[in-house]
Amino acid sequence: MNVGFSAHAKQPFDKQQLFLFDNSYPMIISDFTSLCREHGLAATHQRRVIYETVMSLEGHPSPELIYDAVRKKIPSISLATVYKNVRTFLESGMLREVSMHHGSIRVEPNESEHYHLVCTRCRRIQDLDPEGVQVQALTKKRSLKGFHVTRIAVDVLGICAACAGKERATKSRRREKPC
Amino acid sequence: MNVGFSAHAKQPFDKQQLFLFDNSYPMIISDFTSLCREHGLAATHQRRVIYETVMSLEGHPSPELIYDAVRKKIPSISLATVYKNVRTFLESGMLREVSMHHGSIRVEPNESEHYHLVCTRCRRIQDLDPEGVQVQALTKKRSLKGFHVTRIAVDVLGICAACAGKERATKSRRREKPC
DNA sequence: CTATGTGCAAAATCTTTGCTTGAAA
DNA sequence: TTTCAAGCAAAGATTTTGCACATAG
């Protein structure tokens, strides 16, 4: 089941208009409170403002930038609260990351062409053979104009077998060290 | 022009065996010293050990992990030297990152399916329409076994127009704030 | 009421910087 | 012998944590 915005609902964040796609027909769910309930979270004022702020921002904001924007509406909010809630939203699936943040730089010693399998729970990275997948079509797009392509990185995101097992056992949502 | 290792040169890092592919035929270049010369870097002992250590490591090591491994060979090396050289190698193209590290988490408010155009110089991220590119073939690979795929992220890496312009003007290699 | 979230301050990580000494070209 | 790198210590940036108080359910 996917949660998403209608194509135009984006710009000034037309608040209570979230849609829930069920692979068959869209159904309207009331508001942020329901969205939180869907994800098992308390619908606090701070959360609502953080979420709406993120959705209203252009680009790919960092926690600091979100904090700066949220402070205009709740001057007393703390950076820790923004961090905690961004993390909570990411873990619950209400928001997602541009690409998996590993906390530190990761160097790639494997010089051969390959993709990655990245676990969003434990952040483990495994190499993946690219056989039969052609993303090179991307380098021919006119929308690239001015951009000099050097490489195309493909990350297959999901839950690794080890984490899926643990999940069933513990129901924990905590971020974990790589399996 | 691509610099790479032969398929089997990987395991215990068969040192002086680097190959230079010219899109036509491979030619052998002498050693680490030549590789450094190719990239305009001084071939110091520390650099050699750091580079060889990275290439010998399995997985996708962080600077800390590289530091731990290098210290076994040069106990007096400093973490700062490892950081400086990892950065130097990444910027010169002698090594590459698993995926672009942005220093902080980046949240994706755009819920529609799209890819990213990422500048490796200024790290700016732009959205890219995925029209006509099918990476879904990846979800059918048997090598995925046990991994539950939720999303496939595609990053087109390269140099944005603004950075390409600056490069020509200043020849600077410094990491810069997004254009 | 009871469980969860917030705010604050402090700590833990990760990374860079300035400067002096040392090594490479 | 000049230029670039290493080592060290300190600072800067990013993220998490513990705890007292507040709020949602």
Side-chain angles (χ1 to χ4, degrees):
Chain A
M1 192 187 268
N2 292 315
V3 177
F5 289 88
S6 67
H8 64 286
K10 182 63 203 321
Q11 287 81 0
F13 188 72
D14 184 13
K15 38 193 168 184
Q16 319 309 46
Q17 291 305 306
L18 301 174
F19 295 87
L20 195 57
F21 301 115
D22 204 348
N23 257 347
S24 46
Y25 52 89
M27 103 189 178
I28 296 178
I29 60 173
S30 60
D31 57 4
F32 180 78
T33 303
S34 306
L35 184 57
C36 282
R37 190 154 33 227
E38 292 272 329
H39 289 90
L41 301 176
T44 67
H45 177 57
Q46 287 86 340
R47 277 191 183 150
R48 180 187 306 271
V49 174
I50 292 169
Y51 185 81
E52 294 184 358
T53 298
V54 167
M55 297 312 290
S56 75
L57 288 169
E58 295 297 320
H60 308 89
S62 64
E64 274 283 342
L65 200 140
I66 295 166
Y67 174 59
D68 289 342
V70 169
R71 251 194 313 184
K72 288 171 188 159
K73 294 166 194 159
I74 312 178
S76 62
I77 202 166
S78 73
L79 180 57
T81 296
V82 172
Y83 265 100
K84 282 173 186 164
N85 283 303
V86 165
R87 179 111 117 80
T88 299
F89 290 150
L90 294 175
E91 288 173 353
S92 72
M94 276 178 63
L95 288 178
R96 54 192 172 83
E97 285 183 70
V98 164
S99 59
M100 185 99 303
H101 182 69
H102 289 94
S104 59
I105 288 170
R106 297 308 170 91
V107 178
E108 175 60 86
N110 182 346
E111 299 244 14
S112 67
E113 157 93 352
H114 66 281
Y115 300 147
H116 291 120
L117 218 43
V118 183
C119 178
T120 55
R121 186 90 79 235
C122 69
R123 290 157 300 156
R124 190 237 275 255
I125 306 164
Q126 295 170 266
D127 288 351
L128 178 63
D129 190 88
E131 49 154 315
V133 180
Q134 67 294 50
V135 286
Q136 280 60 32
L138 278 170
T139 64
K140 300 191 188 94
K141 299 172 77 69
R142 44 246 150 273
S143 49
L144 292 179
K145 59 186 164 221
F147 195 95
H148 177 249
V149 177
T150 52
R151 188 164 68 92
I152 297 182
V154 177
D155 287 355
V156 177
L157 305 167
I159 309 294
C160 72
C163 282
K166 273 191 218 151
E167 172 78 357
R168 234 168 283 116
T170 67
K171 288 230 163 135
S172 165
R173 269 274 159 78
R174 303 206 60 259
R175 193 170 180 180
E176 285 168 31
K177 286 288 154 204
C179 303
Chain B
M1 192 187 269
N2 293 316
V3 177
F5 289 85
S6 69
H8 64 285
K10 183 62 203 321
Q11 287 79 2
F13 188 72
D14 184 13
K15 39 192 166 183
Q16 319 308 45
Q17 291 305 307
L18 301 175
F19 296 87
L20 195 58
F21 300 117
D22 204 350
N23 257 345
S24 45
Y25 53 88
M27 103 188 178
I28 296 177
I29 61 174
S30 60
D31 58 3
F32 180 78
T33 303
S34 304
L35 183 57
C36 281
R37 192 154 33 228
E38 291 273 330
H39 289 90
L41 301 176
T44 67
H45 177 56
Q46 286 86 341
R47 278 191 182 151
R48 180 186 306 272
V49 174
I50 291 169
Y51 185 80
E52 293 183 0
T53 298
V54 167
M55 297 313 290
S56 76
L57 289 170
E58 295 297 321
H60 308 88
S62 63
E64 276 283 341
L65 201 141
I66 295 166
Y67 174 59
D68 290 341
V70 169
R71 252 195 311 185
K72 289 172 186 159
K73 293 166 195 160
I74 311 178
S76 62
I77 202 165
S78 72
L79 180 57
T81 296
V82 172
Y83 264 100
K84 281 174 187 165
N85 283 304
V86 165
R87 179 110 116 82
T88 299
F89 290 151
L90 294 175
E91 288 174 352
S92 73
M94 275 178 62
L95 288 178
R96 54 193 173 80
E97 284 184 70
V98 164
S99 60
M100 185 99 304
H101 182 69
H102 289 93
S104 59
I105 288 170
R106 296 309 170 89
V107 178
E108 176 60 86
N110 182 347
E111 299 244 13
S112 67
E113 157 93 351
H114 66 282
Y115 300 149
H116 291 120
L117 218 42
V118 183
C119 178
T120 55
R121 186 90 78 235
C122 69
R123 290 156 298 155
R124 190 236 275 256
I125 305 163
Q126 295 170 265
D127 288 351
L128 179 62
D129 190 88
E131 50 156 313
V133 180
Q134 67 296 49
V135 286
Q136 281 60 31
L138 278 170
T139 64
K140 299 190 188 95
K141 298 170 79 68
R142 43 245 149 272
S143 49
L144 292 179
K145 60 185 161 220
F147 195 94
H148 177 247
V149 177
T150 52
R151 188 164 67 93
I152 298 181
V154 177
D155 287 355
V156 177
L157 305 167
I159 308 294
C160 72
C163 282
K166 274 191 217 152
E167 173 77 359
R168 233 169 282 116
T170 67
K171 287 231 164 134
S172 165
R173 268 273 159 78
R174 302 205 59 259
R175 194 169 178 180
E176 286 169 29
K177 285 289 154 204
C179 304

